[in-house]
Amino acid sequence: MGQLIEELRDLKQGHIFYKYENDEKYLSNLLSFILLGLKRQHRILVVESAKNLPKLKEKMKSLIPADKMSEILLINNFDFYHLNGDFHTHTIVNHFSNHTMVLDQENKPAWTWAHVEWSSQEANGELVQKFECKANELIQKERRLSVCAYPLERLTPKLCSILSNNHDYLINDNKS
């Protein structure tokens, strides 16, 4: 298990801001998160980029038994975040809530991991703050463990500050 995810081992709930810069470490940490969640008998919602989904699926095939694959829901992040155009907060939060409610059936709580992206070159700080604030409320209300992963190359100092202020924990892949 990656050192980064090892640091999260004792957490039962929380909203985590993960800024990453190394794609290989990122995928390794995502896979470790999934494996730890399954070990704890949780279901997992992963919202991931189209670029990473095939790589993740390939890695999962060799590490996760076929009967456990039904415990994991993989969603393309472009479809998830841009259902109603570019980053519509209300739609995204409702979409998130609907997916986690389905996963929560059978008394197995869901963990979530979201690779957050937007279609424009630079994120709208107000929009991201509004989204993360709403997401934080929902995550706390539902007592989830939820990782929001952002590529460091797309984060401005202002956006990093906004994200740091709207999450319970901050991690990065320099630690792993």
Side-chain angles (χ1 to χ4, degrees), residues 20-38:
Y20 72 92
E21 51 189 323
N22 181 298
D23 288 342
E24 283 304 311
K25 285 182 182 179
Y26 170 81
L27 283 173
S28 176
N29 283 318
L30 170 53
L31 192 57
S32 293
F33 179 85
I34 292 169
L35 292 170
L36 180 60
L38 291 174

Side-chain angles (χ1 to χ4, degrees), residues 4-5 18-34 46-49 51-53 55-56 59 77 81 113-117 147-152 171-174 176:
L4 177 69
I5 300 307
Y18 173 27
K19 57 182 178 177
Y20 72 92
E21 51 189 323
N22 181 298
D23 288 342
E24 283 304 311
K25 285 182 182 179
Y26 170 81
L27 283 173
S28 176
N29 283 318
L30 170 53
L31 192 57
S32 293
F33 179 85
I34 292 169
V46 177
V47 180
E48 188 52 68
S49 71
K51 176 183 92 171
N52 286 337
L53 281 172
K55 295 175 195 174
L56 178 62
K59 290 178 184 270
N77 69 353
Y81 291 114
W113 180 291
H115 180 169
V116 185
E117 292 183 308
V147 174
C148 298
Y150 288 84
L152 186 61
I171 57 176
N172 61 61
D173 59 14
N174 290 331
S176 57

Side-chain angles (χ1 to χ4, degrees), residues 91 136 159:
T91 303
N136 197 39
L159 195 51

Side-chain angles (χ1 to χ4, degrees), residues 18 20 26 44 50-51 64 71 87 95 97 100 103 120 167:
Y18 173 27
Y20 72 92
Y26 170 81
I44 313 294
K51 176 183 92 171
I64 299 173
E71 303 293 316
F87 220 81
H95 206 48
S97 185
T100 55
L103 288 172
S120 58
H167 289 82

Side-chain angles (χ1 to χ4, degrees), residues 115-127:
H115 180 169
V116 185
E117 292 183 308
W118 42 88
S119 60
S120 58
Q121 188 64 6
E122 190 173 308
N124 175 325
E126 283 183 34
L127 194 58

